[in-house]
Amino acid sequence: MIIDFMYFQILMVVLLVMLFASTFRILREYERGVIFLLGRFHKIKGPGLILVIPFVQQIVRVDLRIITMDIPSQDIISKDNVTVKVNAVLYFKVADPQKAIINIENYLEATSQLAQTTMRSVLGQHELDDILSARDTLNADLQRILDQSTDNWGIKVTAVEIKHVDLDESMIRAIARQAEAERSRRAKVIHATGELEASQQLLEAARMLGKQPEAIQLRYLQTLTEITNDNSKIIVFPLPLEFGKMFQSITEQPLPPTETPSPNEIT
């Protein structure tokens, strides 16, 4: 009997220790406890040391830190009928532990599935150029739509970032040809603009030189120094334009008529 009584005391001590351990809970700063009293929602407790009545109350721990979730690659058909694979990163946190536990069975899985379907729907409304270049706008649209959809679940979506866009090899070559054509067009435009500016400057220089005829002669001499070097045996001397005008005026003058002798003068 004494031995049985000792076993009973030991058993009672173990039960009391287990009861004590299950009664007092410690929640970290980033944790909250959703308390249910006989199956009904009671209150939210934490952080710190909290008291949970065994067999009467149950606790569900909820992490309030920002969760980083990878959105798997999704096959998306853009507005211009181009098939791409896009993956992204989702950042969210639990803003209301009560809604996150009561209104949705598994808020992690639900948020992941909603992010995948929303990304396919939103990106499918844009062309490929927008998906590649306007990522900031697309990220903001995805974040806004997901935040509104998960508000009833007590989830706050803080950011969505598109990580990578996979293109087919043929599409990559087409984009490369497009970029090459665009660069060629820019080069031609720049060359034509340079020619236009040069012609305007030459016209202005011709007007300035035309006001002072002596200036054109100085320009001739400067050109002579530029095209002549020390090793050259040929001397190039520019002929002033006045000489050309003088010869042209001489050639344009009519010849004097020749007098034919009379018959008397011949005899």
Side-chain angles (χ1 to χ4, degrees):
M1 293 294 295
I2 298 176
I3 297 176
D4 294 339
F5 182 72
M6 291 178 59
Y7 285 153
F8 178 75
Q9 288 181 338
I10 294 173
L11 181 60
M12 291 299 296
V13 170
V14 173
L15 291 176
L16 289 175
V17 171
M18 294 178 61
L19 183 63
F20 180 82
S22 61
T23 301
F24 295 96
R25 304 290 181 87
I26 298 177
L27 298 180
R28 297 179 179 89
E29 183 66 30
Y30 55 84
E31 290 180 330
R32 297 295 183 270
V34 181
I35 305 300
F36 293 90
L37 178 62
L38 297 177
R40 297 177 63 87
F41 173 75
H42 179 55
K43 65 170 59 175
I44 297 176
K45 292 185 177 181
L49 181 65
I50 64 174
L51 178 64
V52 179
I53 302 175
F55 308 111
V56 178
Q57 293 181 340
Q58 295 83 32
I59 181 174
V60 180
R61 294 174 180 261
V62 179
D63 196 330
L64 301 183
R65 293 177 294 182
I66 294 179
I67 300 173
T68 303
M69 178 178 293
D70 183 69
I71 302 176
S73 296
Q74 303 295 312
D75 292 328
I76 298 172
I77 300 178
S78 62
K79 189 176 180 179
D80 50 352
N81 296 324
V82 178
T83 303
V84 295
K85 288 186 176 181
V86 182
N87 62 344
V89 181
L90 176 65
Y91 300 91
F92 68 97
K93 65 179 180 179
V94 177
D96 191 340
Q98 178 183 353
K99 292 181 179 180
I101 298 301
I102 297 176
N103 293 357
I104 191 73
E105 179 183 2
N106 188 339
Y107 64 88
L108 293 175
E109 182 65 22
T111 304
S112 176
Q113 295 297 326
L114 180 63
Q116 296 178 32
T117 56
T118 303
M119 188 171 67
R120 288 196 297 267
S121 176
V122 172
L123 297 185
Q125 300 175 3
H126 294 78
E127 297 183 354
L128 179 61
D129 293 339
D130 296 334
I131 297 176
L132 295 175
S133 60
R135 291 193 180 185
D136 294 337
T137 303
L138 296 177
N139 292 336
D141 292 342
L142 289 172
Q143 187 270 336
R144 177 179 52 82
I145 295 173
L146 288 174
D147 190 36
Q148 294 176 354
S149 301
T150 58
D151 183 66
N152 192 39
W153 302 344
I155 303 298
K156 174 63 178 177
V157 178
T158 58
V160 180
E161 296 291 338
I162 297 176
K163 273 200 311 186
H164 190 65
V165 179
D166 290 328
L167 298 174
D168 188 69
E169 291 295 334
S170 60
M171 184 55 59
I172 294 176
R173 290 193 295 268
I175 293 176
R177 290 194 298 269
Q178 180 182 359
E180 184 179 357
E182 178 66 20
R183 291 183 179 275
S184 178
R185 183 188 68 84
R186 291 181 182 179
K188 292 179 180 179
V189 170
I190 293 173
H191 180 71
T193 304
E195 292 291 337
L196 176 61
E197 294 178 356
S199 62
Q200 292 175 351
Q201 295 295 328
L202 288 174
L203 178 60
E204 185 66 22
R207 290 174 180 174
M208 295 296 295
L209 292 174
K211 295 179 181 179
Q212 295 292 334
E214 296 82 3
I216 191 65
Q217 186 65 27
L218 296 176
R219 187 72 181 103
Y220 285 157
L221 296 176
Q222 182 180 0
T223 305
L224 179 62
T225 58
E226 292 176 356
I227 64 177
T228 306
N229 52 41
D230 297 336
N231 298 326
S232 177
K233 297 181 180 179
I234 299 175
I235 298 176
V236 180
F237 188 81
L239 185 66
L241 296 177
E242 287 76 6
F243 286 95
K245 294 180 180 180
M246 182 180 64
F247 288 122
Q248 183 178 1
S249 61
I250 294 174
T251 56
E252 290 179 354
Q253 290 180 358
L255 296 175
T258 57
E259 296 180 357
T260 56
S262 59
N264 297 328
E265 293 179 353
I266 296 176
T267 57

